[in-house]
Amino acid sequence: MKLIVGLGNPGSRYEGNRHNIGFMAVDEIHRRHSTFQPWRARFQGQVSEGRLGSEKVLLLKPSTYMNESGRSVGEAMRFYKIEPEDIVVLYDELDLPPAKFRMKKGGGHGGHNGLRSITAHIGADYRRLRLGIGHPGDKKLVSNYVLGDFAKADRDWLEPLLTEVADHADLLAEGKDSQFANKLTLILEPEKSQRKNKAPNGEGGAPKHQKAKGQSHIRQARQQAPANLPKSGPMAEMLKKLLGGRKD
Protein backbone atom coordinates (compact mmCIF):
# COMPACT_ATOMS: atom_id res chain seq x y z
CA MET A 1 0.00 0.00 0.00
CA LYS A 2 1.22 3.48 -0.93
CA LEU A 3 -0.09 6.62 0.75
CA ILE A 4 -0.65 9.89 -1.15
CA VAL A 5 -1.56 12.77 1.15
CA GLY A 6 -2.95 16.14 0.11
CA LEU A 7 -2.68 18.93 2.68
CA GLY A 8 -5.29 21.59 3.30
CA ASN A 9 -8.00 22.73 5.68
CA PRO A 10 -11.43 21.03 5.71
CA GLY A 11 -14.72 22.77 4.97
CA SER A 12 -16.18 24.96 2.22
CA ARG A 13 -14.72 28.09 3.82
CA TYR A 14 -11.20 27.04 2.83
CA GLU A 15 -11.99 25.10 -0.34
CA GLY A 16 -10.52 27.59 -2.82
CA ASN A 17 -7.57 28.73 -0.67
CA ARG A 18 -3.99 28.62 -1.94
CA HIS A 19 -3.19 26.64 1.20
CA ASN A 20 -5.52 23.90 -0.09
CA ILE A 21 -3.71 23.13 -3.33
CA GLY A 22 -2.71 19.76 -1.85
CA PHE A 23 -6.39 18.86 -1.38
CA MET A 24 -7.08 20.04 -4.93
CA ALA A 25 -4.34 17.83 -6.39
CA VAL A 26 -5.52 14.72 -4.56
CA ASP A 27 -9.14 15.46 -5.57
CA GLU A 28 -7.97 15.64 -9.19
CA ILE A 29 -6.20 12.26 -8.88
CA HIS A 30 -9.45 10.84 -7.51
CA ARG A 31 -11.49 12.35 -10.35
CA ARG A 32 -9.23 11.23 -13.17
CA HIS A 33 -8.70 7.62 -12.06
CA SER A 34 -11.84 5.50 -12.00
CA THR A 35 -10.18 2.81 -9.86
CA PHE A 36 -10.76 4.84 -6.67
CA GLN A 37 -13.69 4.25 -4.34
CA PRO A 38 -15.90 7.09 -3.04
CA TRP A 39 -14.43 9.21 -0.26
CA ARG A 40 -15.19 8.06 3.29
CA ALA A 41 -14.27 9.21 6.78
CA ARG A 42 -11.35 7.34 8.36
CA PHE A 43 -8.03 8.07 10.09
CA GLN A 44 -9.24 11.53 11.11
CA GLY A 45 -9.60 12.41 7.45
CA GLN A 46 -11.21 11.56 4.14
CA VAL A 47 -9.79 8.50 2.41
CA SER A 48 -10.23 6.61 -0.85
CA GLU A 49 -8.62 3.33 -1.88
CA GLY A 50 -7.74 2.46 -5.47
CA ARG A 51 -4.90 1.63 -7.82
CA LEU A 52 -2.38 3.70 -9.72
CA GLY A 53 -0.39 1.70 -12.21
CA SER A 54 0.74 -1.49 -10.48
CA GLU A 55 0.32 -0.11 -6.96
CA LYS A 56 -2.51 -0.17 -4.46
CA VAL A 57 -2.92 3.39 -3.17
CA LEU A 58 -4.69 5.17 -0.33
CA LEU A 59 -5.54 8.82 -0.95
CA LEU A 60 -5.83 10.87 2.24
CA LYS A 61 -7.06 14.38 3.03
CA PRO A 62 -6.63 15.04 6.78
CA SER A 63 -9.65 16.62 8.48
CA THR A 64 -7.60 17.76 11.46
CA TYR A 65 -6.77 21.19 9.99
CA MET A 66 -3.33 21.89 8.64
CA ASN A 67 -1.51 22.27 11.97
CA GLU A 68 -2.47 18.74 13.08
CA SER A 69 -2.10 16.89 9.77
CA GLY A 70 0.43 14.51 11.29
CA ARG A 71 -2.16 12.85 13.53
CA SER A 72 -4.14 11.68 10.51
CA VAL A 73 -1.09 10.66 8.46
CA GLY A 74 0.46 8.79 11.39
CA GLU A 75 -2.72 6.84 12.07
CA ALA A 76 -3.05 5.69 8.44
CA MET A 77 0.65 4.85 8.24
CA ARG A 78 0.57 2.68 11.35
CA PHE A 79 -2.63 0.86 10.35
CA TYR A 80 -1.26 -0.20 6.96
CA LYS A 81 2.35 -0.53 8.17
CA ILE A 82 3.53 1.87 5.47
CA GLU A 83 7.15 3.00 5.39
CA PRO A 84 7.90 6.76 5.15
CA GLU A 85 9.46 6.36 1.70
CA ASP A 86 6.09 5.04 0.47
CA ILE A 87 4.32 8.24 1.53
CA VAL A 88 4.03 11.26 -0.78
CA VAL A 89 2.75 14.56 0.64
CA LEU A 90 1.38 17.20 -1.76
CA TYR A 91 1.36 20.76 -0.43
CA ASP A 92 1.64 24.48 -1.19
CA GLU A 93 5.10 26.05 -1.45
CA LEU A 94 5.56 29.79 -0.98
CA ASP A 95 9.17 29.71 -2.15
CA LEU A 96 8.26 28.46 -5.63
CA PRO A 97 6.65 30.67 -8.28
CA PRO A 98 3.08 29.81 -9.31
CA ALA A 99 2.85 26.80 -11.64
CA LYS A 100 6.29 25.48 -10.63
CA PHE A 101 6.81 22.23 -8.73
CA ARG A 102 9.62 20.29 -7.12
CA MET A 103 10.01 16.72 -5.88
CA LYS A 104 11.97 16.16 -2.70
CA LYS A 105 12.60 13.38 -0.21
CA GLY A 106 13.24 14.19 3.44
CA GLY A 107 14.50 17.51 4.76
CA GLY A 108 13.05 20.20 7.00
CA HIS A 109 9.55 21.61 7.16
CA GLY A 110 10.51 25.08 5.88
CA GLY A 111 8.02 26.74 8.19
CA HIS A 112 5.06 24.82 6.74
CA ASN A 113 2.82 23.83 9.64
CA GLY A 114 1.44 20.78 7.89
CA LEU A 115 4.93 19.36 7.33
CA ARG A 116 5.95 20.34 10.83
CA SER A 117 3.12 18.21 12.24
CA ILE A 118 3.74 15.26 9.92
CA THR A 119 7.45 15.21 10.73
CA ALA A 120 6.66 15.26 14.44
CA HIS A 121 4.50 12.13 14.04
CA ILE A 122 6.34 10.00 11.46
CA GLY A 123 9.82 11.50 11.01
CA ALA A 124 11.20 13.42 8.05
CA ASP A 125 11.93 10.66 5.52
CA TYR A 126 8.70 10.90 3.54
CA ARG A 127 8.56 12.23 -0.03
CA ARG A 128 7.18 15.65 -0.91
CA LEU A 129 5.64 17.20 -3.99
CA ARG A 130 5.93 20.96 -3.56
CA LEU A 131 3.40 22.93 -5.60
CA GLY A 132 4.37 26.56 -6.07
CA ILE A 133 1.88 29.30 -5.19
CA GLY A 134 4.33 32.23 -5.07
CA HIS A 135 5.07 34.62 -2.21
CA PRO A 136 3.22 37.87 -1.42
CA GLY A 137 6.57 39.63 -0.88
CA ASP A 138 6.19 40.42 2.81
CA LYS A 139 6.12 37.97 5.72
CA LYS A 140 3.32 39.97 7.33
CA LEU A 141 1.10 39.20 4.33
CA VAL A 142 1.71 35.44 4.23
CA SER A 143 -1.18 34.34 6.44
CA ASN A 144 -3.83 36.25 4.50
CA TYR A 145 -2.21 35.22 1.23
CA VAL A 146 -2.21 31.45 1.80
CA LEU A 147 -5.71 31.58 3.31
CA GLY A 148 -6.93 33.62 0.37
CA ASP A 149 -8.55 32.07 -2.69
CA PHE A 150 -6.81 31.61 -6.01
CA ALA A 151 -7.72 34.37 -8.44
CA LYS A 152 -9.63 33.58 -11.64
CA ALA A 153 -6.50 34.34 -13.64
CA ASP A 154 -4.67 31.58 -11.74
CA ARG A 155 -6.80 28.99 -13.50
CA ASP A 156 -4.59 29.37 -16.57
CA TRP A 157 -1.71 27.64 -14.79
CA LEU A 158 -3.48 25.89 -11.89
CA GLU A 159 -5.73 23.62 -13.91
CA PRO A 160 -2.97 22.33 -16.23
CA LEU A 161 -0.70 21.73 -13.23
CA LEU A 162 -3.33 19.72 -11.34
CA THR A 163 -4.26 17.78 -14.46
CA GLU A 164 -0.69 16.70 -15.18
CA VAL A 165 -0.03 15.78 -11.55
CA ALA A 166 -3.12 13.55 -11.64
CA ASP A 167 -2.39 12.01 -15.04
CA HIS A 168 1.12 10.97 -13.99
CA ALA A 169 0.34 10.03 -10.40
CA ASP A 170 1.07 6.37 -11.22
CA LEU A 171 4.76 7.30 -11.36
CA LEU A 172 4.52 8.76 -7.85
CA ALA A 173 2.86 5.57 -6.58
CA GLU A 174 5.60 3.47 -8.15
CA GLY A 175 8.35 5.60 -6.58
CA LYS A 176 9.55 6.93 -9.95
CA ASP A 177 9.93 10.52 -8.80
CA SER A 178 12.54 11.50 -11.40
CA GLN A 179 10.40 10.22 -14.27
CA PHE A 180 7.39 12.01 -12.82
CA ALA A 181 9.28 15.30 -12.63
CA ASN A 182 10.66 14.88 -16.16
CA LYS A 183 7.20 14.18 -17.58
CA LEU A 184 5.71 17.28 -15.96
CA THR A 185 8.65 19.46 -16.98
CA LEU A 186 8.35 18.29 -20.59
CA ILE A 187 4.66 19.23 -20.69
CA LEU A 188 4.49 22.27 -18.41
CA GLU A 189 7.94 23.78 -19.06
CA PRO A 190 8.86 22.66 -22.61
CA GLU A 191 11.45 25.41 -23.09
CA LYS A 192 13.31 24.32 -19.96
CA SER A 193 13.12 20.70 -21.06
CA GLN A 194 14.57 21.53 -24.48
CA ARG A 195 17.49 23.38 -22.91
CA LYS A 196 18.26 20.44 -20.63
CA ASN A 197 18.04 17.85 -23.40
CA LYS A 198 19.86 19.80 -26.12
CA ALA A 199 22.61 17.58 -27.47
CA PRO A 200 26.13 19.00 -28.02
CA ASN A 201 27.32 19.51 -31.59
CA GLY A 202 29.27 16.62 -33.15
CA GLU A 203 32.88 17.28 -32.21
CA GLY A 204 32.04 19.91 -29.61
CA GLY A 205 32.69 22.78 -32.06
CA ALA A 206 30.34 25.38 -33.51
CA PRO A 207 27.84 24.26 -36.15
CA LYS A 208 29.18 24.40 -39.69
CA HIS A 209 26.86 27.20 -40.70
CA GLN A 210 28.28 29.49 -38.00
CA LYS A 211 31.32 31.68 -38.56
CA ALA A 212 34.44 30.57 -36.75
CA LYS A 213 34.94 32.67 -33.64
CA GLY A 214 37.57 35.38 -33.94
CA GLN A 215 37.88 35.28 -37.74
CA SER A 216 37.65 38.59 -39.59
CA HIS A 217 35.69 39.06 -42.81
CA ILE A 218 39.02 39.35 -44.67
CA ARG A 219 40.26 36.01 -43.33
CA GLN A 220 36.99 34.33 -44.26
CA ALA A 221 37.21 35.85 -47.74
CA ARG A 222 40.71 34.40 -48.11
CA GLN A 223 39.48 30.93 -47.12
CA GLN A 224 36.41 31.01 -49.33
CA ALA A 225 37.79 32.83 -52.41
CA PRO A 226 37.22 31.00 -55.70
CA ALA A 227 40.21 29.18 -57.16
CA ASN A 228 40.08 30.84 -60.61
CA LEU A 229 40.50 34.60 -60.32
CA PRO A 230 40.73 37.11 -63.17
CA LYS A 231 44.37 37.86 -64.06
CA SER A 232 43.89 41.42 -65.29
CA GLY A 233 41.46 44.29 -65.27
CA PRO A 234 39.72 46.30 -62.49
CA MET A 235 38.31 43.19 -60.80
CA ALA A 236 41.75 41.57 -60.66
CA GLU A 237 43.21 44.70 -59.02
CA MET A 238 40.39 44.86 -56.43
CA LEU A 239 40.75 41.20 -55.49
CA LYS A 240 44.50 41.57 -55.27
CA LYS A 241 44.11 44.35 -52.68
CA LEU A 242 41.38 42.47 -50.78
CA LEU A 243 43.34 39.25 -50.53
CA GLY A 244 46.65 40.85 -49.73
CA GLY A 245 48.43 40.10 -52.95
CA ARG A 246 47.51 36.37 -53.05
CA LYS A 247 48.22 34.69 -56.40
CA ASP A 248 46.46 31.47 -57.46
Side-chain angles (χ1 to χ4, degrees):
M1 177 71 78
K2 303 298 176 67
L3 178 59
I4 297 181
V5 183
L7 295 188
N9 288 309
S12 58
R13 174 183 175 184
Y14 303 101
E15 189 174 354
N17 287 182
R18 295 179 180 89
H19 218 20
N20 273 40
I21 194 172
F23 273 12
M24 296 174 191
V26 169
D27 279 335
E28 193 67 14
I29 293 172
H30 186 269
R31 275 193 293 268
R32 298 182 73 84
H33 295 272
S34 59
T35 61
F36 284 98
Q37 300 172 358
W39 292 103
R40 61 192 178 107
R42 198 177 183 191
F43 307 128
Q44 303 180 65
Q46 293 292 313
V47 302
S48 175
E49 292 185 27
R51 298 194 74 88
L52 288 172
S54 60
E55 299 292 336
K56 191 172 182 181
V57 174
L58 181 72
L59 301 178
L60 170 63
K61 297 186 295 180
S63 300
T64 52
Y65 289 93
M66 187 70 78
N67 294 3
E68 296 292 341
S69 300
R71 292 197 284 117
S72 175
V73 176
E75 192 173 322
M77 174 184 169
R78 289 188 293 272
F79 182 87
Y80 286 106
K81 298 179 174 60
I82 301 173
E83 296 297 325
E85 56 265 28
D86 290 326
I87 299 174
V88 186
V89 178
L90 287 60
Y91 67 97
D92 57 299
E93 177 57 75
L94 283 164
D95 292 332
L96 285 177
K100 303 299 182 182
F101 70 93
R102 293 290 184 274
M103 285 298 306
K104 182 181 180 181
K105 179 181 178 182
H109 54 72
H112 194 288
N113 288 329
L115 296 191
R116 191 196 310 271
S117 176
I118 293 172
T119 299
H121 283 266
I122 72 169
D125 293 333
Y126 53 93
R127 294 149 56 209
R128 304 106 186 269
L129 173 55
R130 305 156 61 197
L131 302 172
I133 61 170
H135 196 287
D138 188 329
K139 288 184 178 180
K140 296 178 181 178
L141 302 176
V142 165
S143 180
N144 288 335
Y145 179 76
V146 298
L147 294 178
D149 287 354
F150 283 107
K152 289 184 179 180
D154 290 326
R155 294 176 185 172
D156 292 342
W157 63 263
L158 181 60
E159 291 178 2
L161 175 63
L162 297 178
T163 296
E164 296 306 327
V165 167
D167 284 353
H168 297 94
D170 57 316
L171 296 174
L172 289 179
E174 293 169 358
K176 300 176 180 178
D177 293 355
S178 294
Q179 291 184 38
F180 171 83
N182 288 339
K183 288 278 188 181
L184 263 65
T185 299
L186 182 64
I187 296 168
L188 299 173
E189 303 179 54
E191 293 181 359
K192 179 179 178 181
S193 179
Q194 289 171 9
R195 289 197 301 270
K196 288 174 64 176
N197 296 328
K198 190 174 182 180
N201 297 306
E203 298 295 330
K208 291 181 179 180
H209 67 275
Q210 292 183 1
K211 297 176 181 178
K213 185 177 180 181
Q215 287 189 355
S216 67
H217 295 293
I218 298 297
R219 182 177 179 84
Q220 291 174 48
R222 286 174 179 166
Q223 293 175 341
Q224 298 173 7
N228 298 317
L229 301 177
K231 303 299 183 180
S232 61
M235 182 62 71
E237 291 300 319
M238 184 183 73
L239 288 173
K240 183 177 180 181
K241 292 179 181 180
L242 177 64
L243 301 177
R246 172 180 166 182
K247 296 181 180 181
D248 291 310

